[in-house]
């Protein structure tokens, strides 16, 4: 079949939508499609795979009086220019705003210049739908962009419902659930590399009653409730020796560091900052903790599962679609550090059960979230749109 020319717009940061978009870009490029990525920087997960996709970096506009909010327009201009030059078949944008609005403008520009406007696929990711509630203007623009898209997808059934509700979409709107996926080669159970444990040389890492290694990774936004992981960890320490590794960076990090210090835990908690290679880190953990207030899917949790690590997460959003309670991890109420701690202690205390859950986690991640079937469905969606009359 004829290779496609696809333009993918996404954020470059470590947030889940940028990761999902980068993984898709690489898979599509690997199948021979021409993939153009539009972003304000090099998306982290694309950094080690130079050349597979063409990056169109949208520079910030700093010229007065245009420095405020013109990114979306600069993005539209570049998307239109590339679409005309490279004859793009589709735009696939990740995270509704500003990307879908920019794509609509780019489509219009292409048509005005006599080109064939690329079809528009919008993938909603989470806070683009849940974080704008109460903001009438942004809700209206998101709704418009969704209704004008040729296809709309969400990574979970939960987010599909939320999109209908929050954006007041007509019942007939086609929104397809296409889950995020995980690369089982990049994320796999590790040989027993002790690097992370080496950060805590005074803990007993061997024998019965050995210490447990907890890991959390996120963009440290308020919605992640990273402080709950620290509060729960303090309670875990009352039952067993353990260490907590926090990966990522973001607005809440100073507050979480302050909380850690105020609890006297600086020697048992390590802040690693942003990391590109998550696979080898995850594989060393005993339990992955995700205390989020909201999570449309929880890609970080899926990466932990694929690494053979059971997940203790909150029972919110799409997380129950990813983590099977009692089989691949444990789900607890949100804002409940004691429940989080009890679930972690339960897993750390029952070594054989935790190991069995880790195996089940890997098997389930491979059974339900392998890249190939999802990428096949995305490609089929693209071809369906291109076959339909414009
Ligand atoms: O807010 C974030 O966590 C970042 C956000 C993003 O779009 O960058 O993540 C969302 O998309 C991910 C990929 O689909 C999902 O795994 C996350 O659950 C989702 N985050 C939220 O819904 C809070």
């Amino acid at each position: 079949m004829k290779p496609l020319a696809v333009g993918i717009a996404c954020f470059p940061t470590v947030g889940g939508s940028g990761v999902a978009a980068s993984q898709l870009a690489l898979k599509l490029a690997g199948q021979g499609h021409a993939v153009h990525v539009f972003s304000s920087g090099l998306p982290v997960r694309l950094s080690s795979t130079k050349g597979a996709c063409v990056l169109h970096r949208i520079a910030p506009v700093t010229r007065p009086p245009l420095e405020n909010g013109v990114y979306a327009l600069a993005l539209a201009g570049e998307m239109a220019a590339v679409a005309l030059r490279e004859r793009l078949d589709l735009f696939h944008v990740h995270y509704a705003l500003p990307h879908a609005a920019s794509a609509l403008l780019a489509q219009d520009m292409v048509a005005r210049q006599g080109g064939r406007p690329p079809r528009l696929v919008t993938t909603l990711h989470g806070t683009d739908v849940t974080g704008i509630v109460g903001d009438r203007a942004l809700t209206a623009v998101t709704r418009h962009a969704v209704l004008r898209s040729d296809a709309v997808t969400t990574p979970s059934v939960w987010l599909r419902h939320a999109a209908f509700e929050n954006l007041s979409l007509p019942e007939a709107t086609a929104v397809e659930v296409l889950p995020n996926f995980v690369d089982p080669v990049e994320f796999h159970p590790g040989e027993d590399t002790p690097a992370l444990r080496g950060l805590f040389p005074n803990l007993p890492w061997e024998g019965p009653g050995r210490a447990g290694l907890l890991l959390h990774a996120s963009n440290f936004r308020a919605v992640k409730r990273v402080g709950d992981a620290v509060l729960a960890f303090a309670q875990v320490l009352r039952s067993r020796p353990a260490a907590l590794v926090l990966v990522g960076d973001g607005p809440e990090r100073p507050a979480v560091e302050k909380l850690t210090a105020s609890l006297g835990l600086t020697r048992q908690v390590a802040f690693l900052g942003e990391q590109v290679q998550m696979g080898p880190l995850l594989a060393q953990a005993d339990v992955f903790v995700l205390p989020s207030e909201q999570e449309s899917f929880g890609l970080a949790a899926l990466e932990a599962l694929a690494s053979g690590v059971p997940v203790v997460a909150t029972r919110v959003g799409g997380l129950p679609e990813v983590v099977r309670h009692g089989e691949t991890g444990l789900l607890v109420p949100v804002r409940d550090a004691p429940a989080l701690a009890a679930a972690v202690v339960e897993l750390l205390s029952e070594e054989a059960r935790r190991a069995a859950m880790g195996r089940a986690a890997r098997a389930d991640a491979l059974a339900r979230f392998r890249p190939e079937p999802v990428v096949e469905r995305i490609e089929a969606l693209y071809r369906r749109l291109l076959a339909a009359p414009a």
Side-chain angles (χ1 to χ4, degrees):
M1 254 188 286
K2 172 180 165 284
L4 302 173
V6 185
I8 291 185
C10 66
F11 295 125
T13 45
V14 284
S17 62
V19 171
S22 302
Q23 286 174 335
L24 175 62
L26 289 174
K27 289 289 171 201
L28 291 171
Q31 290 180 4
H33 302 297
V35 181
H36 296 261
V37 175
F38 301 91
S39 195
S40 58
L42 178 62
V44 264
R45 296 275 175 101
L46 285 186
S47 53
S48 55
T49 44
K50 290 192 198 101
C53 312
V54 184
L55 175 70
H56 303 274
R57 202 187 290 257
I58 315 300
V61 179
T62 51
R63 264 188 325 282
L66 293 180
E67 64 275 58
N68 207 352
V70 186
Y71 177 78
L73 304 181
L75 174 61
E78 183 67 10
M79 288 173 91
V82 174
L84 280 163
R85 193 178 64 233
E86 306 291 336
R87 296 177 177 278
L88 295 186
D89 294 302
L90 298 115
F91 291 136
H92 187 168
V93 302
H94 290 259
Y95 208 91
L97 295 187
H99 306 118
S102 302
L104 287 175
L105 179 54
Q107 279 184 325
D108 202 36
M109 291 167 73
V110 171
R112 283 273 161 175
Q113 291 174 64
R116 193 196 52 174
R119 302 291 202 276
L120 171 57
V121 180
T122 297
T123 292
L124 303 171
H125 277 278
T127 47
D128 47 357
V129 170
T130 60
I132 55 169
V133 174
D135 187 324
R136 279 219 317 243
L138 289 188
T139 301
V141 181
T142 304
R143 180 175 193 273
H144 176 76
V146 162
L147 292 176
R148 288 281 314 274
S149 296
D150 297 296
V152 180
T153 80
T154 59
S156 64
V157 176
W158 179 87
L159 187 61
R160 185 178 185 279
H161 284 305
F164 273 89
E165 197 156 302
N166 297 359
L167 303 176
S168 313
L169 298 178
E171 231 172 82
T173 315
V175 180
E176 194 171 343
V177 177
L178 281 167
N180 290 318
F181 57 82
V182 65
D183 186 337
V185 179
E186 194 181 340
F187 294 91
H188 59 83
E191 290 107 58
D192 209 12
T193 37
L196 286 183
R197 290 178 214 156
L199 298 173
F200 312 95
N202 299 326
L203 288 179
W205 291 114
E206 303 294 336
R210 74 171 184 89
L213 186 70
L214 313 185
L215 195 138
H216 166 85
S218 74
N219 50 16
F220 279 62
R221 280 160 57 184
V223 71
K224 301 294 176 181
R225 297 194 63 80
V226 186
D228 284 0
V230 175
L231 291 172
F233 175 66
Q235 296 187 32
V236 169
L237 289 180
R238 293 186 200 147
S239 311
R240 337 183 26 93
L244 173 64
V245 174
L246 298 171
V247 183
D249 210 339
E252 294 297 312
R253 182 167 163 186
V256 177
E257 283 181 339
K258 209 165 148 194
L259 174 68
T260 304
S262 74
L263 293 169
L265 296 176
T266 43
R267 276 154 44 104
Q268 292 103 319
V269 179
F271 289 80
L272 298 195
E274 284 181 0
Q275 299 287 323
V276 177
Q277 295 291 331
M278 277 306 298
L281 296 175
L282 282 166
Q284 297 173 58
D286 293 310
V287 176
F288 184 81
V289 270
L290 194 60
S292 306
E293 176 98 44
Q294 196 50 266
E295 210 62 73
S296 74
F297 182 90
L299 186 53
L302 174 58
E303 291 177 346
L305 297 174
S307 306
V309 179
V311 171
V312 174
T314 40
R315 190 179 284 103
V316 295
L319 276 170
E321 295 173 48
V322 177
V323 180
R324 292 194 197 272
H325 178 67
E327 288 173 40
T328 65
L330 295 173
L331 296 172
V332 299
V334 68
R335 293 170 181 266
D336 190 344
L340 195 64
V344 169
V345 170
E346 191 180 322
L347 293 186
L348 291 182
S349 319
E350 299 177 40
E351 183 77 41
R353 180 166 169 235
R354 192 177 51 72
M357 261 194 187
R359 287 192 294 276
R362 166 88 180 159
D364 194 38
L366 263 60
R368 296 196 294 142
F369 301 108
R370 266 183 308 116
E372 293 76 14
V374 184
V375 177
E376 252 172 49
R377 284 181 61 197
I378 293 172
E379 198 183 322
L381 167 67
Y382 291 170
R383 296 210 183 267
R384 235 173 24 243
L385 292 179
L386 290 168

